[in-house]
């Protein structure tokens, strides 16, 4: 929210609760500066709606922290439901890929775009295919035990989650990136100094695309 919008916001809230508005000019300036700092990331329309929700169930004067807390919870819920879809750019162009991904996250966080969610594959051909892939992946211990061990085997747990959601299992194919060529089941790496290699946090985008092509 722009600092210039704070007086308008306080005036709007004062229509429901005159206690919020300061009459002394010095106190009013200090109040505007304080609210502007706390609500810098909160859109104006959201702040007004948050005030409506507050006074619908409370007779206490609203504080800027009440609005900021609601906004943080809303952003957290949006980001937790979003699955970061692959940006519509060349996945090997790392700069463009990261830029588009960051833009998508900002849009979701601010409500300009809805979260992109994956729905559970509970029935139909896609669900049957996912189940077949899980069987091929291997099940030698009960699901309950596997869930407990997931925290100690994050890479395997991530692969199982990927298959259940119907997304391509990048580790199910060899990485096509010339400087990587990670084998099936092995994490992607990049060259380091000398003969060392550094493991990446996730597979190369080209490997994900290759896995999707093989699964198609």
């Amino acid at each position: 929210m722009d600092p210039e919008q704070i007086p308008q916001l306080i005036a709007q809230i004062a229509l429901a609760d005159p206690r919020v508005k300061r009459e002394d000019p010095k106190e009013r300036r200090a109040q505007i500066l304080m609210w502007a700092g706390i609500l810098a990331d909160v859109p104006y329309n959201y702040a007004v709606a948050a005030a409506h929700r507050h006074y619908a169930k409370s007779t206490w004067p609203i504080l800027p922290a009440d609005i900021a807390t609601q906004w943080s919870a809303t952003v957290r819920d949006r980001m937790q439901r979003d699955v970061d879809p692959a940006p519509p750019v060349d996945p090997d162009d790392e700069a463009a890929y990261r830029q588009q991904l960051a833009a998508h996250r900002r849009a979701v966080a601010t409500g300009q775009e809805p979260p992109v969610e994956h729905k559970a594959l509970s029935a139909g051909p896609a669900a049957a295919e996912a189940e077949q892939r899980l069987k091929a992946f291997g099940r030698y211990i009960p699901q309950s035990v596997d869930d407990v061990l997931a925290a100690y085997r994050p890479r395997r747990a991530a692969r199982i989650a990927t298959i259940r959601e119907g997304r391509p299992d990048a580790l199910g194919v060899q990485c096509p990136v010339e400087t990587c060529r990670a084998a099936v089941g092995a994490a992607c790496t990049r060259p380091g100094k000398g003969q060392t290699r550094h493991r990446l946090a996730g597979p190369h985008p080209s490997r994900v695309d290759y896995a999707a092509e093989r699964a198609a």
Side-chain angles (χ1 to χ4, degrees), residues 137 139-143 145-160:
F137 188 70
R139 304 293 307 169
Y140 59 92
I141 58 176
Q143 177 66 51
V145 177
D146 203 17
D147 290 340
V148 172
L149 295 176
Y152 304 95
R153 301 184 304 177
R155 192 163 63 188
R156 177 184 172 89
R159 290 187 68 188
I160 291 177

Side-chain angles (χ1 to χ4, degrees), residues 110-169:
T110 56
Q112 299 176 49
E113 295 180 7
V116 178
E117 303 180 58
H118 273 303
K119 297 182 179 180
L121 299 175
S122 58
E129 179 187 349
E131 185 62 29
Q132 291 177 357
R133 291 167 62 192
L134 282 172
K135 289 180 179 178
F137 188 70
R139 304 293 307 169
Y140 59 92
I141 58 176
Q143 177 66 51
S144 59
V145 177
D146 203 17
D147 290 340
V148 172
L149 295 176
Y152 304 95
R153 301 184 304 177
R155 192 163 63 188
R156 177 184 172 89
R159 290 187 68 188
I160 291 177
T162 295
I163 293 173
R164 285 176 177 165
E165 293 172 359
R167 292 182 288 139
D169 176 21

